[in-house]
Amino acid sequence: MRLGALRRRFRIAYLREWIREWSRILLNPRLLFCLLLAWMITNGWSYILFGLGMALGVNWMRIVGGAYMSFLWLPFTPEKLVTALIAIGLLRLLYPEDQQTLGVLRAKLARLRERKDKPCRR
């Protein structure tokens, strides 16, 4: 077998394992519920406000909801990061007994910190 084919097989196997690992974490029902709550706190209210403004004909609701939604679609907004942090905080607050998910998130954070401390090889 050629070296290129081996590399491709390794990459595909690594990618499958990576997807399986992250989907196991992110598709946890408790974390999904906390992500939904965090999304409603950060974004969902603007979609609801915009929809109600359109349906009821209230101009200020449409303007406020539309303005915030347009801000969210700008490339530099930290909305996704803030949503994830709020979701993790809600998970710790609502489900403190779920140490499996919190432990996996702590391990991932420790691995990221460990990677940050090591110098890059080039």
Side-chain angles (χ1 to χ4, degrees):
M1 192 176 271
R2 299 181 117 186
L3 185 61
L6 281 173
R7 283 184 184 164
R8 241 185 336 272
R9 275 186 147 178
F10 177 74
R11 284 184 189 151
I12 290 171
Y14 180 76
L15 181 64
R16 282 183 184 157
E17 183 60 34
W18 185 83
I19 289 172
R20 189 175 299 128
E21 180 183 359
W22 277 101
S23 65
R24 202 173 326 130
I25 296 167
L26 295 177
L27 296 179
N28 180 352
R30 292 176 178 174
L31 186 60
L32 283 176
F33 177 69
C34 291
L35 277 170
L36 177 69
L37 281 178
W39 184 82
M40 286 301 292
I41 291 169
T42 57
N43 300 343
W45 64 268
S46 65
Y47 289 96
I48 293 170
L49 199 65
F50 186 77
L52 283 175
M54 293 290 284
L56 300 176
V58 181
N59 199 26
W60 72 267
M61 286 178 145
R62 195 172 52 216
I63 290 171
V64 170
Y68 189 75
M69 283 190 303
S70 64
F71 172 72
L72 289 175
W73 285 92
L74 292 174
F76 60 83
T77 57
E79 168 265 328
K80 305 271 187 294
L81 178 64
V82 171
T83 303
L85 291 175
I86 290 173
I88 292 170
L90 285 171
L91 183 70
R92 292 179 70 190
L93 182 69
L94 297 175
Y95 302 107
E97 73 280 353
D98 188 12
Q99 291 302 316
Q100 182 178 1
T101 306
L102 291 171
V104 170
L105 291 173
R106 282 188 196 106
K108 293 284 183 192
L109 181 63
R111 203 175 312 156
L112 283 173
R113 285 182 183 158
E114 193 176 284
R115 237 188 249 170
K116 186 179 174 184
D117 293 338
K118 291 182 182 178
C120 293
R121 290 185 287 163
R122 288 187 183 199

